[in-house]
Amino acid sequence: MFCYQCEQTAKGTGCTVQGVCGKLPEVAALQDLLLYTLMGLSQVAVEGRRVGVSDRDVNVFTVKAAFSTLTNVDFDPARFQALIGQAAALRDKLKERVKVAGSRAAWPEGAAAFRPAATLEELIKQGETVGLKSYPGDDPDILSLKHTVLFGIKGVSAYADHALILGQEHDSVYAYVHEGLAAIQRADLSLDDWVAMALKCGEAAFKAMELLDAGNTAIYGHPVPTKVPLGHKKGKAILVSGHDLKDLEELLKQTEGKGIFVYTHGEMLPTHGYPKLKQYKHFYGQFGTAWQKQTKEFVDFPGAILMTTNCIQRPRSEYQANLFTSGMVGWPGIPHISDLNFKPVIERALELPGFPEDHVGQEVTVGFARNAVLGVADQVIAAAKSGAIRHFFLVAGCDGAKPGRNYYTEFVEKVPRDCIVLTLACGKYRFFDMDLGSIGGIPRLLDIGQCNDAYSAVQIASALAKAFNVGVNELPLSLIISWYEQKAVCVLLALLHLGIKGIRLGPSLPAFLTPNVLDTLVRHFDIKPIGTAEEDLKAILGS
């Protein structure tokens, strides 16, 4: 196997024996084979659009299947076997439609002609021949950008799938996913073409996040500032981790009146700010912190646990019998809920002891998405113009276990008291419970939401830039970003597509960026690695 799509990849160069995430070589080979089959399906889909054929089943399947290969999503070989077969079947069916529409494309070989083997063992052998290093072309910089685009597409597909669950989709996102996947099998595109393809991935990423924002806010309302307890209530309990609001809503509906309290974990913390979800009285608080601590934290949770979307780790035996998955998440031997009927989760929660007594803990405040922040925009602008607010820092992104991430804690601790810190995604767990005080009634720490709420952050920045009559890059705003997996890659590409410069990225730079590609990003976008908190603050603030 060879995989270097996440920040924690082995030795900073690539996992070759087993994934740091727990991915076995057999699963890595099946994921590579699924992606190869999707590239062939995408070749046919691109040709289909050229002759006026677009198949929604193909579109939806492509993003779901690509999402399943994202870090910490699906580890179940049987499910990948089914996805590979489905991808080939959809491709062949689409070929016939495209041919009827007048296409003369033949696809005699390569990904569009690939035939999956009959057994799982044979599929694994096929997958071992079509991994990241097999893509056409011998230019390392072009290969680097192909991988960047592929990882970005995985992130775009994740957000597109989240949005689709809420009834939001747009053909431009599907069209780009097919264009990008198909292009990876081409050898005729230049380095400049691939730079453009990466920025186009950012455009698709921003559209996917916009769609997801529209779905979340249309159904659940715009988040409002909300205090979330970090303690617990006496009684039966269910813990929900991941990202998906629809799964959470359905679980809340199905547990109403059953004497079960529902808690959030990881990226689900911001859901407490949505008005429609807040109305459930048994939706209580947050248990635990970021995804990478789940194996320690889940052991102490006395109820059932539901993993939605992504971020699952190898379950420990102490809680394996309490764990369930939904959406594209999968782990061998763990019960999967595919139809939003959470009866097995509820039954397990009722069997387990729950919390024996109330525990009153600290509270944190969430819900500072764009509507909440822009609702006090006049105060923010006045404070900035008067000098009461000197600078804004967006300290955001993914968390992880690799050493060096304490930088983000130190950075926030050292931010001067006349500055505001905005945050989003699970990187905030390095400092989410700090009391930074306020400036003129405006909290100095504003939690904007999940990783996809980078869309909200951009909207806030754009509104401030308009108010100050400057470009976003001229605002007293600095982006301090931590990355871990492919959602972060697509968010970064979205920021670059929007022309945002001066991003500080860490804790280490992606292994898939060659020196020449990195130099291109530095020259055009002023991307730079993080240093120390003191050095970076001095460089930004000048003192």
Side-chain angles (χ1 to χ4, degrees), residues 28 32 63 99 110 129 229 269 276 279 374 420 431 438 440 490 526:
D32 286 339
V63 297
K99 184 178 179 180
T129 68
L269 170 62
K276 188 170 180 181
Q279 70 185 4
L374 295 179
I420 296 284
F431 49 81
S438 61
C490 87
D526 194 28

Side-chain angles (χ1 to χ4, degrees), residues 514-537:
T514 62
N516 284 339
V517 171
L518 181 59
D519 181 63
T520 298
L521 294 177
V522 171
R523 283 188 290 107
H524 290 285
F525 299 101
D526 194 28
I527 283 185
K528 48 180 72 76
I530 59 171
T532 67
E534 295 87 346
E535 291 169 347
D536 290 348
L537 279 167

Side-chain angles (χ1 to χ4, degrees), residues 474-527:
E474 284 68 54
L475 281 173
L477 169 68
S478 299
L479 278 64
I480 317 297
I481 305 298
S482 58
W483 82 283
Y484 176 72
E485 40 84 297
Q486 298 85 71
K487 284 182 174 178
V489 174
C490 87
V491 170
L492 177 62
L493 293 176
L495 295 174
L496 299 185
H497 156 70
L498 295 169
I500 294 175
K501 298 182 178 181
I503 297 170
R504 281 175 163 77
L505 185 64
S508 59
L509 295 177
F512 49 84
L513 295 181
T514 62
N516 284 339
V517 171
L518 181 59
D519 181 63
T520 298
L521 294 177
V522 171
R523 283 188 290 107
H524 290 285
F525 299 101
D526 194 28
I527 283 185

